[in-house]
Amino acid sequence: MSEVRHLVSIDDLSLPEVRALFDHAAHFAQDLRAHSAICRGRIAASLFYEASTRTRLSFESAMLRLGGGILTAADMRTSSASKGESLADTVRVVSGGYADVIVLRHPSEGAARLAAQYSEVPVVNAGDGSHEHPTQTLCDLYNLWVERGRIEGLDVVLAGDLRYSRTIHSFAYALARFGANVVCVPQPGFELPGYVVQRLREEFGVEPQRADASRLGDLASRSDAVYLTPQKPHQLSLFTDARGFSIEHVDAVYMTRPQTERHPGGEGTLENYLQLGKRTLAVESLRDAVVMHPLPRRDEIAADLDADPRSIYFKQAARGVPIRMAILGWLTGALDLATSQRAPELRAYPVTVGANPCPNATCISRTEARHVTPMLRLASRLPLRAHCAYCSHEIPFGVVGCSTTRVFHDRDSVELRKVRSDHLVFLRDAAEALRLGFTPSVRGVAGTA
Ligand code: NCD
């Protein structure tokens, strides 16, 4: 049996695979009604533990247009989840003959990664908490590619709630990989999370620069804009002064709503949230910027922009159908991506000693603790850094043990280079290490005099 592919993170796809999906989508978009033999006899199951309009309906429309069938659990409160059934058990059942592909939306970060571990069929992440939304990103990249003819070298403004918008996180990773530049214009207090910036830096070579956003007019008047670029600092030196990199021209503005359902204070409205209106778009730097939004919007894009030819958010939503036809065709084995170049697989290591070190209370490794073995990925060996393999949050640790020798070391100790990656045990501090029966390294560990 061939290996099952999943689409949990945008990083699960290589760039040639993304381009191949665009080609299929562009072909489908010429006539959405002409492809009803491609998935005949296949079934997609939508398991939605969170509200959705576009993502679920465009996936279901895509499967129906490809001639396949759908099983819909649009509101998992009406399923056995309300009787306490775990996600892992649900996925085992649905993938065991009920469906050929599962489209999952869930409020816990890392839910789709867990589902993929238990599923016999491909799992598509249709949004996991504030973590990732890779198919929205494919839709967004496809839109840029159709509108601009390229992605490399574009300057894209990401605005609004950059902290809790999962669409932003997947999009930022993908833009970096494609060699586009990102201008972050966050709602104050809702900047990109540290773990996202760190990944952009360490895995994609992106250097955050201060940005002089005075030419963005009132769009950035209340925000500390940051320029994220895969270019090397010396390439920027001509355009950078004490006020930071100067933003002269923007290709796309991507606006997001406040994700109030995920804010720690709970549902509510955000005072003084950024708003794009006619006046905002009148500035020279945004003259030919397309305006994008994953939708739904609240007031962050004024209705008077809808008729502006630069506003493409409804077209963007419409293009969700052909791109999801390409995704479903590929994952059900009906379409070939005509490239052998795969994204590198990142190895995950189970946490075998001590408590779950993931600090994120809404990570699936905490919300479904009974069914999840905590797993880590090494973000870097030097300096040593790890993140949760489910939600990508950085693992905080003070000392590191070796699971075979049961010796522990300071987090910066050179001794750690000798410990095999799968033997590393990340521990909060020396007291925890001692409690779990580890002994301090003979070279000494701070706090264990
Ligand atoms: C987004 C989502 O669910 O993350 N919507 C979508 O899928 N088109 C954005 C949002 O809810 O703000």
Side-chain angles (χ1 to χ4, degrees), residues 50-52 54-55 105 126-127 129 133 136 165-167 256-259 261-262 293-296 324:
E50 258 193 359
S52 169
R54 273 149 295 273
T55 305
R105 172 168 286 190
H133 194 347
Q136 180 65 44
S165 292
R166 53 196 172 200
T167 63
T256 53
R257 76 179 166 91
Q259 311 281 307
E261 72 276 29
R262 287 192 275 277
H293 193 304
L295 302 178
R324 288 182 170 113

Side-chain angles (χ1 to χ4, degrees), residues 172-255:
Y173 299 141
L175 288 170
R177 278 171 74 204
F178 268 101
N181 306 306
V182 167
V183 185
C184 292
V185 178
Q187 174 72 18
F190 294 87
E191 292 76 17
L192 271 187
Y195 79 89
V196 174
V197 177
Q198 192 186 316
R199 274 200 77 193
L200 286 167
R201 226 192 194 126
E202 290 181 347
E203 290 177 38
F204 308 115
V206 164
E207 247 337 291
Q209 315 268 326
R210 264 190 62 201
D212 173 4
S214 50
R215 286 174 203 247
L216 294 181
D218 64 0
L219 173 63
S221 61
R222 285 185 292 122
S223 172
D224 287 328
V226 175
Y227 191 63
L228 300 171
T229 176
Q231 297 178 53
K232 299 281 161 287
H234 70 266
Q235 293 172 287
L236 288 176
S237 55
L238 270 179
F239 310 98
T240 312
D241 63 21
R243 287 184 302 173
F245 181 80
S246 170
I247 316 291
E248 309 281 342
H249 172 264
V250 168
D251 295 286
V253 178
Y254 188 96
M255 191 64 177

